[in-house]
Amino acid sequence: MRTRTMIPRSVIADVEQRVRRLCEDLAAKLQFHGWHHVSFVRDKSVHFAERNGAARDVVEVAALVHDLNYMVRRNSLPTDGAALRRKVLFVAGVSQGDIEWIERIVVEAEMRTRSRDISLEAQALSDADTLFKALPVTPVVLAHKYLQENGITLRELAYKIVGEQVGKAEEGYYFYDSEAAATYTKWAETNLLLWKCIVESLDDPCVEDLLTKVAS
């Protein structure tokens, strides 16, 4: 079997520099998906890749570019960032084969469409990105930034989170890594319960009136 050539550290550093520069240039636009998010997901993705045996270098690069779609269009899907991802990776010196692999990982790890049986690389990326969503501080510190960045309402965000995430939690693959599941499931369950309560509360006319007054 032919041994795969790993992505050189110098190339990964180049990708990181390019993505960080884009995040800094668009900081006002990327209030949720800025460098603070990218660097967190990159660090945790590498940790999970080292645990599950995934290709660490490919996972790290995939994590760095996984949310470039938000630089292209607000409230968008990973596929919307494909052209920008390919450009960043190509200019940095990533091989064509690895570019195609990274694109598959990013699409495969997407919360909205991911399934129980995804690649180890996508699992590592997904667990890191999911953990960011499940952090106890995210709804307190960052949820309003997501609303502003993507131009959606609280109701839309609540329905999005409940619709995309609750089923995966109930079916047992909210996290793929056993360590992540053991460590962070309590956070995830609390977070999802909060968002389910938000959905319920929005049906109360008094709550709707309250939010209207606060927003005006």
Side-chain angles (χ1 to χ4, degrees):
M1 180 181 293
R2 183 179 178 181
T3 303
R4 184 182 73 86
T5 301
M6 294 183 63
I7 302 173
R9 288 308 309 174
S10 59
V11 172
I12 297 176
D14 195 332
V15 174
E16 177 179 348
Q17 183 181 38
R18 292 175 188 279
V19 173
R20 183 165 189 166
R21 188 181 304 126
L22 284 169
C23 287
E24 290 171 350
D25 290 345
L26 298 170
K29 176 182 177 182
L30 301 172
Q31 298 181 53
F32 186 92
H33 292 104
W35 182 247
H36 57 283
H37 171 75
V38 174
S39 59
F40 178 94
V41 173
R42 185 270 307 277
D43 292 346
K44 287 296 185 180
S45 292
V46 168
H47 171 74
F48 293 131
E50 290 172 342
R51 277 183 50 80
N52 74 4
R56 180 191 185 280
D57 56 323
V58 175
V59 169
E60 182 173 2
V61 176
L64 286 168
V65 300
H66 80 285
D67 274 340
L68 291 190
N69 53 291
Y70 290 103
M71 300 181 185
V72 176
R73 184 165 63 84
R74 68 193 324 201
N75 199 27
S76 58
L77 298 174
T79 50
D80 295 311
L84 179 56
R85 265 194 303 276
R86 291 176 184 276
K87 179 180 179 180
V88 168
L89 296 175
F90 177 79
V91 174
V94 179
S95 71
Q96 189 60 43
D98 284 340
I99 290 175
E100 298 297 336
W101 189 6
I102 289 164
E103 186 64 24
R104 291 195 299 271
I105 292 168
V106 170
V107 173
E108 198 178 9
E110 160 65 11
M111 172 65 82
R112 185 178 60 92
T113 53
R114 67 178 172 87
S115 64
R116 183 185 298 276
D117 300 311
I118 60 176
S119 67
L120 293 177
E121 288 74 24
Q123 288 180 27
L125 174 57
S126 176
D127 279 349
D129 202 24
T130 298
L131 175 56
F132 188 88
K133 296 176 175 68
L135 291 173
V137 298
T138 295
V140 178
V141 179
L142 294 167
H144 71 288
K145 293 182 180 293
Y146 188 97
L147 299 177
Q148 294 168 1
E149 176 185 309
N150 290 285
I152 63 175
T153 65
L154 178 62
R155 181 182 296 274
E156 289 172 322
L157 177 58
Y159 274 94
K160 172 181 171 66
I161 291 172
V162 172
E164 293 180 359
Q165 300 183 32
V166 170
K168 294 173 177 62
E170 292 176 344
E171 292 172 23
Y173 62 97
Y174 193 76
F175 292 112
Y176 296 93
D177 182 87
S178 58
E179 176 198 56
T183 306
Y184 305 122
T185 291
K186 179 180 179 182
W187 293 358
E189 289 175 344
T190 301
N191 182 65
L192 292 177
L193 178 59
L194 169 64
W195 285 104
K196 285 193 286 187
C197 289
I198 290 173
V199 168
E200 293 174 6
S201 74
L202 293 174
D203 289 332
D204 187 322
C206 292
V207 173
E208 186 174 7
D209 182 55
L210 170 65
L211 293 176
T212 301
K213 290 177 179 176
V214 171
S216 62

